Amino acid sequence: VKFPGLLDHVPCASALVGHVVSPDPEPRLHGYEVRGDLAKNVSFLDLGWLALTGQLPTDAERAAVGRALAWLSPMHVGEGPAHAAVLTRVAGAPDAVLPGVVGVALGQHTAAEISTANQLFAWLEGREEAPAAWVVHEPNAADLAAHDDLVRASIDWFDVPLPARPVLTRVAGAYALFHRLGIVDPVRLHALSAWARLPVLLAEAACTRPGSIASYPTRLPDYEYVEDR
Amino acid sequence: MSKITRVGIIGATDHRFLGRSVFGDLNRESTHPGDPLVLALTMGATLDADDREALRLIAVCTTSPDARIWPLKLCRLLASHGDATAGFFGAQLVAGSGQMGPGVSRNCAEGFVYIAEHSDDDAALETAVLAWRDRFGGRFPGFGVALRAQDERLLAIRRLVAGTGLEGRPFWRLQARVAEALAKHGTGEPNVVFAIAALLLDVGIPAANCGLVASTLMTHVYLAQAIEAARDEGPDLHAMPASVVDYRGAPPRHTSEPVDVQLHPALHRVHRP
């Protein structure tokens, strides 16, 4: 028996709307043929930037986004998304869900970063103080060298370079570059974070044997169960 | 482009779900908040009292809620930024594991079905059991108990099934014979998955769905962890100190000086161009 439904007669669109990749047999990315043009003539970094902005990068943009992604990429196994990647493997998850679980962890982590980044962006626009959590309050020589080098490079990349002080953390430096590159919306910041970090996180997962519970620090952190009487 | 579904539809004054009107039939049949979920788990099957008892036993006896158990710690980790939904649903993606946890119920149940079809006598049963065991690398799905000698959940279910209408059901009787056959070959101890697979097959759940159904019956454990973690977890879980990391990767090196280093075998390529 067929039952009529409320949605049977609701006016609705008849096609999926796409804006990035054409559904042609020879797909194009924002109009550029992939195999015949992009793959031969530009780097994968250029292609990613093209995907997110619709334009191929200038030399300055290429250098800046490459620097930002590199600064953002490392996450050690004690950090949430990398820990989640390892735990997913330890729990014996199917390979097919691994990127999804890691993506959830990274999405949560990046969302928290973006809430701080909004403060950073306001500071870069002269509206607020720099977020304290993203400032290195007692920088060592490596912090100073990396930050000063980034500031110097930003003079060549942008009309308005990054402020010389305070010294920013590695993650803050990356987000400051995204701001100067004109990307401050959450979805594309998530995309940049995933682009930078997913290979690193999945590599950590690859180095973890599925089901390896014996070598995983189960009691880190430890929990004690209590009941209220 | 129109396709057939037998799950349901939204109507103007009532909805249909798995062969029932929602506000009429489903409302009348549901005496417990979990009833619509059970209806979905069985894709609309009508359950008798023993079937419902089997599902109840699985849900109760698989309540293993220790926050340090790996999928549950993952649940807490994913929820630790304050989003219980991310923890609850995200962590349960691991439930499809064919290696450990409730997802193994599928491989175990498929084994029971295979054995049932190839067990005219005890010798044939043993041959079928060993064939299924060998298909999974020498460990029958549902065998293997970590951290203790026996799985207390399995023992509890067996105790609670004894003397009930579940005891005489075909796959319940078969799992006991399979366990006996495996015991002769010294392949360790069965875990709770063994009981789950048999109980679900006797309810009429297709073997292919047993992992999902078993996982779904355990969701309450994830739910409580996710709710607590979203409320209580925080920075200490987001970034553990370097002092608790045992880094075993490449030593410091520089791009200006190519050097060979020992890398984890998982990073090796099958060949280098």
Side-chain angles (χ1 to χ4, degrees):
Chain A
V1 181
K2 184 179 173 186
F3 286 84
L6 195 62
L7 297 180
D8 291 354
H9 304 293
V10 173
C12 59
S14 59
L16 297 166
V17 177
H19 299 96
V20 180
V21 176
S22 68
D24 308 316
E26 190 62 48
R28 290 173 179 268
L29 181 57
H30 288 304
Y32 294 101
E33 196 176 292
V34 173
R35 290 197 296 187
D37 187 359
L38 293 173
K40 294 195 291 190
N41 298 318
V42 304
S43 69
F44 186 73
L45 187 70
D46 289 10
L47 190 149
W49 183 254
L50 169 67
L52 291 172
T53 66
Q55 303 292 338
L56 289 166
T58 63
D59 290 344
E61 288 167 343
R62 181 184 305 109
V65 74
R67 185 79 65 98
L69 293 173
W71 276 37
L72 207 54
S73 63
M75 302 199 89
H76 69 70
V77 71
E79 295 181 87
H83 188 181
V86 167
L87 255 176
T88 304
R89 291 281 278 178
V90 169
D95 295 342
V97 307
L98 176 65
V101 179
V102 174
V104 172
L106 183 56
Q108 296 292 312
H109 180 94
T110 304
E113 279 181 349
I114 290 172
S115 66
T116 307
N118 287 329
Q119 244 186 294
L120 181 85
F121 299 158
W123 168 66
L124 289 168
E125 292 160 8
R127 293 187 281 115
E128 279 186 32
E129 294 292 304
W134 276 10
V135 168
V136 184
H137 298 285
E138 294 179 10
N140 59 29
D143 295 325
L144 284 166
H147 181 79
D148 290 346
D149 183 61
L150 189 69
V151 171
R152 272 195 303 276
S154 76
I155 295 169
D156 294 331
W157 295 336
F158 309 119
D159 293 337
V160 182
L162 296 177
R165 291 292 180 270
V167 174
L168 298 177
T169 65
R170 175 175 55 77
V171 169
Y175 276 91
L177 289 177
F178 293 149
H179 174 270
R180 286 295 192 251
L181 285 160
I183 296 192
V184 296
D185 57 294
V187 172
R188 288 188 295 174
L189 290 173
H190 274 285
L192 290 162
S193 171
W195 186 13
R197 290 155 159 170
L198 269 182
V200 173
L201 299 172
L202 294 175
E204 197 67 75
C207 294
T208 306
R209 191 168 53 79
S212 53
I213 57 177
S215 57
Y216 174 77
T218 299
R219 292 173 58 189
L220 181 71
D222 210 356
Y223 293 88
E224 293 177 40
Y225 173 66
V226 297
E227 295 183 359
D228 297 324
R229 297 291 185 195
Chain B
M1 190 159 54
S2 185
K3 303 169 78 174
I4 295 295
T5 175
R6 291 183 172 79
V7 172
I9 197 164
I10 299 174
T13 57
D14 197 356
H15 310 321
R16 304 287 305 178
F17 183 55
L18 295 169
R20 293 151 173 83
S21 75
V22 170
F23 304 139
D25 301 334
L26 187 59
N27 174 54
R28 196 166 43 252
E29 291 172 17
S30 298
T31 57
H32 183 275
D35 285 339
L37 181 66
V38 169
L39 186 67
L41 289 176
T42 58
M43 289 300 279
T46 301
L47 303 184
D48 65 20
D50 279 341
D51 295 330
R52 295 173 66 86
E53 173 64 2
L55 299 182
R56 190 191 73 82
L57 279 180
I58 293 169
V60 169
C61 293
T62 56
T63 304
S64 307
D66 197 307
R68 296 165 293 189
I69 292 294
W70 313 282
L72 299 181
K73 197 203 275 191
L74 178 63
C75 173
R76 297 184 74 95
L77 193 53
L78 297 181
S80 64
H81 284 282
D83 186 347
T85 306
F88 178 64
F89 290 106
Q92 288 186 79
L93 286 172
V94 309
S97 172
Q99 188 174 9
M100 55 202 287
V104 182
S105 304
R106 174 184 179 159
N107 293 338
C108 185
E110 287 176 342
F112 289 161
V113 171
Y114 170 81
I115 292 160
E117 291 169 350
H118 296 82
S119 55
D120 295 335
D121 54 36
D122 285 347
L125 180 136
E126 188 169 329
T127 302
V129 167
L130 296 181
W132 197 261
R133 181 197 68 177
D134 293 344
R135 190 181 292 192
F136 290 89
R139 193 171 85 175
F140 196 97
F143 254 68
V145 179
L147 310 176
R148 67 272 203 220
Q150 287 185 299
D151 187 337
E152 69 289 343
R153 300 165 298 178
L154 175 64
L155 299 180
I157 289 184
R158 283 179 170 168
R159 192 168 64 245
L160 293 166
V161 164
T164 73
L166 301 174
E167 195 174 27
R169 290 183 153 194
F171 282 102
W172 185 259
R173 284 188 282 119
L174 180 72
Q175 61 84 25
R177 293 175 67 201
V178 173
E180 274 175 34
L182 286 165
K184 282 202 293 187
H185 293 271
T187 50
E189 287 288 326
N191 61 52
V192 70
V193 160
F194 227 62
I196 292 172
L199 289 171
L200 291 179
L201 287 172
D202 282 331
V203 169
I205 305 291
N209 294 351
C210 283
L212 173 63
V213 172
S215 305
T216 306
L217 291 170
M218 295 173 65
T219 54
H220 57 295
V221 178
Y222 287 85
L223 187 58
Q225 295 287 359
I227 290 171
E228 183 182 75
R231 188 191 62 205
D232 294 350
E233 294 287 9
D236 62 327
L237 211 49
H238 300 158
M240 291 203 235
S243 59
V244 302
V245 175
D246 175 14
Y247 173 72
R248 299 180 187 178
R253 52 181 170 160
H254 195 272
T255 52
S256 62
E257 295 173 34
V259 288
D260 278 335
V261 294
Q262 283 284 101
L263 294 171
H264 191 284
L267 302 175
H268 294 174
R269 290 179 279 175
V270 291
H271 64 81
R272 300 175 75 159

